[in-house]
Amino acid sequence: MTRQLRVGTRRSVLARTQTDHVLQLLKVIRPQLDIQIQTISTIGDQTTGPLPTSHPGLFTSTLETALLNHEIDFAVHSLKDLPIEQPKELMIAAICKRHAAFDVLVTKTGLSLDDLPPDTTVGTSSLRRTAQLLAARPDLSIAPLRGNIDTRVEKVLSGQLQAIVLAEAGLLRLGISDKYMWRIPLNLMLPAPAQGALAVECRKDDLEVVRILESINCSITWTATTAERTFLEFAGGGCSIPVAAYAEQIDDEIHLSGEVRSVDGRRKIAVSGIGTDAMTLGKQLAQKAHQMGAREVLQSE
């Protein structure tokens, strides 16, 4: 194959690292590939203040526009940032094997959530994490947190913040020492749907690229994240709302847990179930959550 492919990625160190990981997977299977990396600044990258929760695709829409304009041939995303609804001309061709899905508490000495003194300030701009933190420790203070991962970690190491919460996968991908991390158990902090997974998106009509990308798809991760994202879609639909979900494929069964919370952490709707079809299970559990009052919890925010 002589065609040079162009992959689009955000400019951050993490985004570049994730894209390099995808390219390494591709090169193992197709060593002859010639791929050029194009860095693109997204709306989320250009926003310096608090991120608007009503704007889907803050970190992905600019890359999708580049795909639609044929400026790139495929794009690498953190799947949890990718809105449920895609432009009809685009598709997710591959979801790579998921890294850790957990959230972690980051402190100078790797303290647990129980170890934090009363009134500790914890940095996060996630409504989901805010709700889950306040549910576990209502005495904590929550501070907004923006910037690249290394910048956020430095705020802890320099003493600007006492603690922050981040996705474990991003920290591990950047090689940040786990001595600063405490993995938060799932019963305290169920992750965002598809957290820790990378999605590779391309144009549906570019069959050559579709075939290439499909070679690195992980069917187990695809199934689990499809269940989680289906739950998100039918529970509320937005990646910024306090909805969490985590699925595992065990033998031929999918085990899915989901929850909807109020931002203050006081109200929680939790559901779980086992099924054999990811989309059916995700939809069923979302419907069950609504029967238990999830819509009222979300609309109260």
Side-chain angles (χ1 to χ4, degrees):
M1 175 180 172
T2 58
R3 174 184 172 188
Q4 182 183 68
L5 300 181
R6 300 157 299 170
V7 56
T9 178
R10 293 171 58 199
R11 300 178 184 274
S12 72
V13 176
L14 177 59
R16 289 294 303 270
T17 300
Q18 292 177 163
T19 298
D20 288 343
H21 174 69
V22 169
L23 297 189
Q24 288 170 7
L25 294 176
L26 287 169
K27 289 294 181 71
V28 168
I29 297 173
R30 296 174 177 263
Q32 77 280 11
L33 285 177
D34 181 10
I35 303 176
Q36 177 188 30
I37 297 175
Q38 291 187 203
T39 56
I40 296 173
S41 180
T42 68
I43 297 171
D45 298 319
Q46 297 162 13
T47 304
T48 56
L51 294 175
T53 59
S54 60
H55 194 306
L58 285 167
F59 296 106
T60 59
S61 61
T62 310
L63 291 166
E64 290 185 325
T65 299
L67 272 172
L68 294 171
N69 292 338
H70 290 249
E71 297 166 8
I72 57 175
D73 299 301
F74 64 99
V76 177
H77 307 286
S78 293
L79 182 53
K80 71 181 180 67
D81 293 333
L82 197 61
I84 300 295
E85 293 186 9
Q86 292 176 271
K88 65 180 185 301
E89 301 89 346
L90 303 182
M91 64 177 289
I92 297 174
I95 299 175
C96 304
K97 183 178 180 180
R98 173 146 58 181
H99 216 316
F102 292 86
D103 290 292
V104 292
L105 184 71
V106 180
T107 63
K108 284 185 179 181
T109 55
L111 296 177
S112 73
L113 203 53
D114 286 340
D115 293 332
L116 295 180
D119 299 320
T120 294
T121 299
V122 181
T124 179
S125 291
S126 162
L127 294 181
R128 171 187 61 86
R129 290 172 181 152
T130 295
Q132 291 166 327
L133 284 169
L134 292 177
R137 288 287 307 271
D139 59 314
L140 297 176
S141 297
I142 309 298
L145 183 66
R146 286 294 314 279
N148 295 329
I149 285 184
D150 49 353
T151 303
R152 300 184 193 194
V153 172
E154 182 56 33
K155 288 183 178 180
V156 171
L157 300 183
S158 66
Q160 296 178 57
L161 283 171
Q162 296 162 285
I164 60 176
V165 176
L166 295 172
E168 182 178 12
L171 294 166
L172 294 178
R173 286 187 179 114
L174 291 181
I176 293 174
S177 174
D178 60 6
K179 71 180 182 180
Y180 304 117
M181 307 178 206
W182 181 71
R183 177 183 277 184
I184 305 176
L186 293 177
N187 66 313
L188 295 182
M189 190 167 284
L190 204 65
Q195 184 162 294
L198 301 180
V200 193
E201 186 180 32
C202 67
R203 293 181 295 277
K204 289 179 180 177
D205 62 1
D206 196 339
L207 301 182
E208 181 181 36
V209 171
V210 171
R211 284 193 297 269
I212 291 170
L213 298 179
E214 285 178 341
S215 66
I216 61 170
N217 182 62
C218 173
S219 61
I220 293 176
T221 302
W222 182 287
T223 297
T225 56
T226 296
E228 295 163 16
R229 281 167 58 82
T230 302
F231 177 80
L232 171 65
E233 177 182 4
F234 287 94
C239 59
S240 62
I241 62 177
V243 173
Y246 180 67
E248 290 183 293
Q249 185 174 340
I250 302 175
D251 296 326
D252 295 328
E253 294 182 328
I254 307 160
H255 296 243
L256 174 64
S257 296
E259 65 179 41
V260 175
R261 289 183 183 259
S262 60
V263 175
D264 61 11
R266 294 177 181 175
R267 301 180 67 189
K268 170 186 172 182
I269 304 294
V271 292
S272 62
I274 300 173
T276 55
D277 182 81
M279 294 182 71
T280 300
L281 179 60
K283 184 176 180 179
Q284 287 175 343
L285 288 191
Q287 291 172 338
K288 181 178 179 181
H290 282 305
Q291 292 169 0
M292 296 168 62
R295 185 171 284 107
E296 290 72 21
V297 170
L298 291 172
Q299 290 175 348
S300 67
E301 303 309 327

